[in-house]
Amino acid sequence: MQQEALNLSLVQPVDEIDIAKEFALSGKTAISRPGVSLPLRFLLERGVFQGAKSAINFAKGRASHDAPAIAQAIEGDVCAEFDLIHAPEWPVFGTQYSVLFSGYCANVLPPRCRSIFWRQVALLTDEYGRAYVAVRSCKDRAIKGKPEYDGVRTSIGSFQKGYSAGDLMDEARRFFPHVELLQPNESKGFLIVACKHCLHLQG
């Protein structure tokens, strides 16, 4: 019996070199925006950062307007930023934050790398804090490429996944016990979940 050819589209990175390569490729997707990103604007309009003592803009990419907007919205005076490629400020991992925002990062990572991303999000969010994770939705027409893993490999070599609301909820629940879908309309091009370790906030 002839052995079936290995379907490479289903094989995930298996070592640190492959994983590092995927994170480096994800940096190619970062873009500069003239203002605050749409998912963050959505959150700011709903006042979700009010009362937060500290915040981090995690996996910020090239965004230069998001952190100042978050800093203005929170009660405290600590607003850190981190991005593996564009702002590798490693000391941020020495603490936890009462609010975390991450926009358009999870959707540019294949499954194994997304698990690393989500673990870090969970570790950076304090016991009574909230993590807001925004991703591109499955209705985003800009996501094009050759099928690979649970998304596509784009023409520039990066990975992209368009999430359904169910996909995002299921993924977030593997790392946080309490998850709420704040923006469930896939046709808007993005989805947002609010994640908590504890159901009730401190204070």
Side-chain angles (χ1 to χ4, degrees), residues 48-49 52 54-56 70 74 97-101 126 129-132:
V48 301
F49 299 107
S54 61
I56 182 169
I70 294 170
I74 66 173
Y97 301 86
S98 54
V99 66
L100 177 148
F101 171 72
D126 73 27
R130 298 152 289 173
Y132 298 97

Side-chain angles (χ1 to χ4, degrees), residues 38 42 137 139 183 185-190:
L38 189 59
F42 174 93
S137 85
K139 300 296 184 181
Q183 200 297 95
N185 190 343
E186 294 166 356
S187 66
K188 289 187 179 295
F190 70 93

Side-chain angles (χ1 to χ4, degrees), residues 131-166:
Y132 298 97
V133 177
V135 297
R136 298 198 182 279
S137 85
C138 54
K139 300 296 184 181
D140 188 333
R141 295 181 180 179
I143 298 177
K144 297 177 182 178
K146 182 179 179 181
E148 189 172 307
Y149 309 132
D150 55 354
V152 300
R153 185 67 63 179
T154 72
S155 60
I156 64 170
S158 62
F159 179 82
Q160 279 279 5
K161 172 181 171 64
Y163 279 82
S164 69

Side-chain angles (χ1 to χ4, degrees), residues 9 43 94 113 137 192:
S9 69
L43 294 172
C113 297
S137 85
I192 302 177

Side-chain angles (χ1 to χ4, degrees), residues 44-60:
L44 289 169
E45 289 172 355
R46 283 152 183 79
V48 301
F49 299 107
Q50 291 177 2
K53 305 297 184 185
S54 61
I56 182 169
N57 184 19
F58 187 62
K60 66 177 281 298

Side-chain angles (χ1 to χ4, degrees), residues 20-31 61-62 83-86 108-109 156 158-159:
K21 180 181 176 182
E22 288 292 352
F23 276 106
L25 284 170
S26 72
K28 291 185 175 183
T29 68
I31 60 173
R62 296 182 186 274
D83 187 85
L84 183 64
I85 307 301
H86 303 287
V108 298
L109 297 170
I156 64 170
S158 62
F159 179 82

